[in-house]
Amino acid sequence: MGTERRSRGTHEAALTIRDVAERAEVSVATVSRVLAGNYPVAAKTRQRVMRAVRELNYVVNTHARALAGVRTETVAFVLNDVRGPSFSAAAYGVEREANQRGRLCLICTTEGDQERELAFMQLMREQQASAVILIGGVRDDEQYRERYTEIAQGLHAVGSRLVLCGRPSLGADVPATTVEYDNEGGAYAITTNLLANGHRRILYLGGMLEHTTSVGRLLGYHRALADFGVAPDPTLIEHGEFTRVSGYERTRAWLQQGAGRFTAIFAETDMVAAGALAALEDAGVRVPDDISLVGYDDIELASDLRPRLTTVHVPYEELGRTAVRLAIDLKEGRSREGDQHVVLGTHVVVRQSVARLHH
Amino acid sequence: MGTERRSRGTHEAALTIRDVAERAEVSVATVSRVLAGNYPVAAKTRQRVMRAVRELNYVVNTHARALAGVRTETVAFVLNDVRGPSFSAAAYGVEREANQRGRLCLICTTEGDQERELAFMQLMREQQASAVILIGGVRDDEQYRERYTEIAQGLHAVGSRLVLCGRPSLGADVPATTVEYDNEGGAYAITTNLLANGHRRILYLGGMLEHTTSVGRLLGYHRALADFGVAPDPTLIEHGEFTRVSGYERTRAWLQQGAGRFTAIFAETDMVAAGALAALEDAGVRVPDDISLVGYDDIELASDLRPRLTTVHVPYEELGRTAVRLAIDLKEGRSREGDQHVVLGTHVVVRQSVARLHH
DNA sequence: AATGTAACAGCAACCGGTTACATTGTCAGA
DNA sequence: TCTGACAATGTAACCGGTTGCTGTTACATT
């Protein structure tokens, strides 16, 4: 006896609940109960156990505990890139909310690679994560949807709940809870602001339409034009990447070829606006005196630019927090999958990049 | 028979390896072997098993697997706030490198609360994470160190390896691997740049000295002054937060009370520099004509500011990647704890915020 | 003193995999 | 045809916890 319980490999023998039980001279069941805390144990016994735990510096093994049916709650989330100012704010919200509610947080960045996203979801199935939060747009095609559906169903089967942020729920086979901010409303409001300042020809530097974000913002732009009785000029609408360079390049091209055709620019993202601003600056065009410029997102940079950028504030952190809350509600049965579709409000932040246009 | 294996609670019966075995008409051992892939199994059998796996949409249960001795490798990392431009780059590096090496990534943000950090480390013990990476400074005191030591030893005992980024290893009881970038060298180089441009009275907007970062940068500043035979003026050295507002407030105070006492500002962080710049701008002070300004970190914002900020480039992403690599080396026994102390290089990026001073 | 009851502690059966060891099957060589 | 060697598969003992059920003890009640 004594050397009996040694693990097989070259590893050090792990410290187990049995060691604690032995030291405290109680059964493993009692140790477990003391640690769980939801079962009556005599104060004296409890103290003895706690003392042994402390002296041995013991902690439970999550895996064993999970196997026995007590899961450590875990929230996993997937996004493109933590470095983006808006996404990082969403990530922050997710992490904080999860943490505050005693959940662990798993993260995965995909750089737009949907394959990676699916692989991660699969991993989360293996891990029995309690929630998986997907942030950002999807490119949806036949093959993708099939695999997505299968994996999502698998997730559901192990008790993982899925929440989508800024992306549509894909088909009725996978009813998902979604959180979105009001893209249309924000775009409507800021376009209205430009229109009210006399602008009629507004260059629209948009994103790809696979993002619901872009669809929504463009919609708001159109609705505002319609409300002001302005016929939209489709040639003034562009689709491209959500990056600074894209904003720079597209603006430069327009300044060379289409100068004079517009008096304002609506960049679908502050990042794009930053690029546009740089291009305008480089071309000697004054903002807002010659051209007005607005963005979307209200990232920190917006108020660092000169002129400070008029833009639409988006509650990214709140987005992340809400996603976690919804996931937990789902998990705990307070709502059903597919029932909840939250839309968070946005509002215009007026700064200095829009000028009143005098005809 | 049939309803035999139902889990006790209200949950759905989980899909297990036994279901697969039954369907493929083989033993569970064979299924396990097929899935592991490192043991000879007849092609026909393998196909039968794979088919069953696919048809049932089965995935292994990580917890069961971990309990049986096969750990899913997991890298956990802790930082202040994912939203900061430098930290988010480090986080990105950690996540990417971990992901590329097939590791899962757990994240925790602390907002400077060391209690949270310790709690998370404890959790990582329970989770048997293969590596824990701590990013950013520590406030070290008797009580903290004691708890830290205990937890760190616990981590070690379950096989978790600890890597510290930008923080000193705390005592010989916990020999830790560290990664750091060259704070002293960068500060030396950029201070030299100011000195070479004729500046002699340089206001130093530093951070708290509990950060090794601050200590190193200040050291470089002093060494550069010494090399130019300039006696340092201790009243020109300030310690404060690494935030934009702190930069703004401190600069504003100096402009009111100590204007004329300095010709350049060395902000220990680009963020602080951004605040300083705003304060200068608000006070009608031209940069670099009236006052030169340099920062540190080379975050994206640095080239968005006007004038574009001269600063020190720090390879944050590389920092994160290196930390993961070191952790894996450690884990796989290619290096011993406490042996490795990597210092990454930094270099000055000259932009437009420094002017030559003519006496 | 006998009995009932509640509080506490222990036994042992799980949870879902992995893998050492045992068993079976196959085929070549004697 | 028999035997040995080796490949493929099965059996069952773990991994480290949790918890239903059972047994014990202490105390109150009559």
Side-chain angles (χ1 to χ4, degrees):
Chain A
M1 79 201 86
T3 55
E4 184 91 21
R5 192 187 341 94
R6 302 232 117 237
S7 69
R8 54 189 145 219
T10 58
H11 285 332
E12 322 81 345
L15 197 57
T16 79
I17 199 172
R18 277 163 252 275
D19 299 313
V20 178
E22 204 172 305
R23 177 155 199 139
E25 295 179 296
V26 294
S27 71
V28 292
T30 302
V31 176
S32 177
R33 285 178 184 128
V34 168
L35 260 30
N38 49 18
Y39 190 92
V41 175
K44 233 174 35 185
T45 314
R46 152 171 291 116
Q47 280 169 14
R48 224 157 4 111
V49 170
M50 290 311 282
R51 186 143 157 267
V53 166
R54 237 176 299 117
E55 287 174 354
L56 294 172
N57 195 7
Y58 164 86
V59 289
V60 290
N61 177 329
T62 309
H63 299 302
R65 167 177 277 180
L67 196 52
V70 183
R71 302 251 129 92
T72 304
E73 301 277 317
T74 291
V75 173
F77 69 105
V78 185
L79 35 58
N80 253 289
D81 185 339
V82 254
R83 293 168 305 180
S86 43
F87 280 166
S88 75
Y92 179 80
V94 169
E95 200 281 335
R96 287 292 58 230
E97 188 73 25
N99 197 309
Q100 276 165 20
R101 292 170 175 253
R103 265 77 175 175
L104 232 45
C105 216
L106 278 152
I107 187 175
C108 174
T109 69
T110 62
E111 289 171 319
D113 183 348
Q114 303 202 345
E115 215 41 56
R116 219 138 84 195
E117 184 172 294
L118 291 172
F120 184 74
M121 287 168 73
Q122 193 73 292
L123 263 169
M124 289 309 97
R125 254 182 95 184
E126 300 181 1
Q127 296 273 334
Q128 332 262 313
S130 36
V132 177
I133 298 173
L134 269 28
I135 304 181
V138 236
R139 285 178 303 286
D140 184 19
D141 62 45
E142 189 59 39
Q143 202 208 332
Y144 172 80
R145 183 177 296 226
E146 193 176 320
R147 295 195 50 210
Y148 169 82
T149 303
E150 191 170 294
I151 296 176
Q153 286 171 345
L155 276 171
H156 190 93
V158 298
S160 286
R161 296 299 169 250
L162 200 56
V163 175
L164 310 181
C165 297
R167 112 167 20 177
S169 145
L170 253 46
D173 294 341
V174 190
T177 297
T178 63
V179 203
E180 176 86 75
Y181 35 78
D182 187 8
N183 285 304
E184 210 228 309
Y188 175 83
I190 202 157
T191 308
T192 296
N193 183 294
L194 287 172
L195 290 162
N197 276 293
H199 297 275
R200 288 297 176 268
R201 285 162 297 136
I202 306 169
L203 175 60
Y204 189 90
L205 299 179
M208 300 307 195
L209 288 182
E210 69 218 23
H211 300 284
T212 49
T213 297
S214 294
V215 175
R217 293 182 186 178
L218 187 53
L219 227 55
Y221 169 80
H222 275 128
R223 185 155 66 82
L225 290 183
D227 278 9
F228 271 73
V230 178
D233 177 351
T235 66
L236 282 177
I237 293 169
E238 278 228 335
H239 299 289
E241 296 294 315
F242 275 164
T243 62
R244 178 194 307 258
V245 279
S246 159
Y248 186 92
E249 292 304 336
R250 291 197 263 165
T251 304
R252 200 169 52 111
W254 269 92
L255 288 175
Q256 287 171 358
Q257 300 160 17
R261 291 197 42 213
F262 56 91
T263 65
I265 300 179
F266 180 167
E268 224 178 58
T269 275
D270 286 348
M271 262 331 205
V272 172
L277 184 59
L280 291 163
E281 189 183 31
D282 287 357
V285 178
R286 292 167 305 160
V287 178
D289 314 33
D290 302 328
I291 296 279
S292 290
L293 172 67
V294 299
Y296 209 117
D297 284 348
D298 193 25
I299 62 180
E300 238 188 12
L301 172 64
S303 40
D304 283 318
L305 294 174
R306 293 294 177 274
R308 296 172 210 263
L309 191 67
T310 292
T311 185
V312 179
H313 180 77
V314 175
Y316 281 106
E317 182 184 334
E318 192 53 31
L319 184 76
R321 300 194 100 107
T322 306
V324 172
R325 268 184 237 121
L326 287 172
I328 294 177
D329 282 355
L330 226 43
K331 183 78 189 171
E332 300 183 345
R334 278 192 297 280
S335 66
R336 282 211 332 267
E337 217 122 6
D339 277 5
Q340 298 269 2
H341 299 282
V342 175
V343 179
L344 300 175
T346 53
H347 62 265
V348 173
V349 180
V350 175
R351 287 199 268 254
Q352 308 159 341
S353 63
V354 174
R356 169 141 210 98
L357 194 67
H358 304 280
H359 325 250
Chain B
M1 77 200 89
T3 54
E4 185 88 21
R5 192 184 345 91
R6 302 230 116 240
S7 68
R8 56 188 145 219
T10 58
H11 284 333
E12 322 82 344
L15 197 55
T16 79
I17 201 173
R18 279 163 247 276
D19 299 313
V20 178
E22 202 172 308
R23 177 156 199 139
E25 296 178 296
V26 294
S27 71
V28 292
T30 302
V31 176
S32 177
R33 286 179 185 127
V34 168
L35 260 29
N38 49 17
Y39 194 90
V41 175
K44 232 173 37 183
T45 315
R46 155 171 288 116
Q47 281 168 14
R48 220 154 11 107
V49 170
M50 290 312 281
R51 184 141 160 269
V53 166
R54 237 176 298 116
E55 287 174 353
L56 292 172
N57 194 9
Y58 165 87
V59 290
V60 290
N61 178 328
T62 309
H63 299 301
R65 167 176 276 180
L67 195 52
V70 182
R71 301 251 129 92
T72 303
E73 301 277 318
T74 291
V75 173
F77 69 106
V78 186
L79 36 57
N80 253 290
D81 186 338
V82 255
R83 294 168 305 179
S86 44
F87 280 165
S88 76
Y92 180 79
V94 169
E95 200 281 335
R96 287 292 60 231
E97 189 73 24
N99 197 309
Q100 276 164 22
R101 293 170 173 253
R103 265 78 175 175
L104 231 47
C105 216
L106 276 153
I107 187 177
C108 174
T109 71
T110 63
E111 291 171 317
D113 183 348
Q114 304 203 345
E115 215 38 59
R116 220 138 84 194
E117 185 172 292
L118 291 172
F120 184 74
M121 288 169 73
Q122 193 73 293
L123 264 168
M124 290 308 98
R125 256 182 94 184
E126 300 181 2
Q127 296 274 334
Q128 333 261 315
S130 36
V132 177
I133 297 173
L134 268 27
I135 303 180
V138 235
R139 285 179 303 286
D140 184 19
D141 62 46
E142 190 58 41
Q143 202 209 332
Y144 171 80
R145 182 177 295 226
E146 191 177 322
R147 296 195 51 209
Y148 170 81
T149 304
E150 190 171 295
I151 296 176
Q153 286 171 346
L155 276 171
H156 189 93
V158 299
S160 286
R161 296 299 169 250
L162 200 55
V163 176
L164 311 181
C165 297
R167 115 168 16 179
S169 145
L170 253 48
D173 294 341
V174 189
T177 297
T178 63
V179 202
E180 177 85 75
Y181 35 79
D182 187 8
N183 284 305
E184 210 226 311
Y188 175 83
I190 202 158
T191 308
T192 297
N193 183 293
L194 287 171
L195 290 161
N197 275 295
H199 295 277
R200 289 297 175 270
R201 284 162 298 137
I202 306 170
L203 175 59
Y204 189 90
L205 299 179
M208 300 309 195
L209 288 183
E210 68 219 22
H211 300 284
T212 49
T213 297
S214 293
V215 175
R217 293 181 186 178
L218 186 54
L219 226 54
Y221 168 79
H222 275 128
R223 185 157 63 84
L225 290 182
D227 278 9
F228 271 73
V230 177
D233 176 351
T235 66
L236 282 178
I237 293 170
E238 278 230 336
H239 300 289
E241 295 295 314
F242 275 164
T243 62
R244 178 194 307 257
V245 278
S246 157
Y248 185 91
E249 292 304 337
R250 291 196 264 165
T251 305
R252 199 168 54 110
W254 268 93
L255 288 175
Q256 287 172 356
Q257 300 160 17
R261 292 199 41 215
F262 57 92
T263 64
I265 300 179
F266 180 167
E268 223 178 58
T269 275
D270 286 350
M271 261 335 204
V272 172
L277 183 59
L280 291 164
E281 189 183 34
D282 287 358
V285 178
R286 291 167 306 161
V287 178
D289 314 35
D290 303 328
I291 296 278
S292 289
L293 174 66
V294 300
Y296 208 118
D297 284 350
D298 193 26
I299 62 179
E300 238 188 10
L301 172 64
S303 42
D304 283 318
L305 294 174
R306 291 296 176 272
R308 296 172 211 264
L309 190 68
T310 292
T311 186
V312 178
H313 180 76
V314 174
Y316 281 106
E317 183 183 335
E318 193 53 31
L319 184 76
R321 300 194 100 106
T322 305
V324 172
R325 270 183 235 122
L326 287 172
I328 294 177
D329 282 356
L330 225 43
K331 183 78 190 172
E332 299 183 346
R334 278 192 297 281
S335 67
R336 284 211 330 268
E337 218 121 6
D339 277 5
Q340 298 268 3
H341 298 283
V342 175
V343 178
L344 300 175
T346 52
H347 62 265
V348 173
V349 180
V350 174
R351 286 198 269 252
Q352 308 159 341
S353 63
V354 174
R356 170 143 209 95
L357 195 66
H358 304 280
H359 325 249

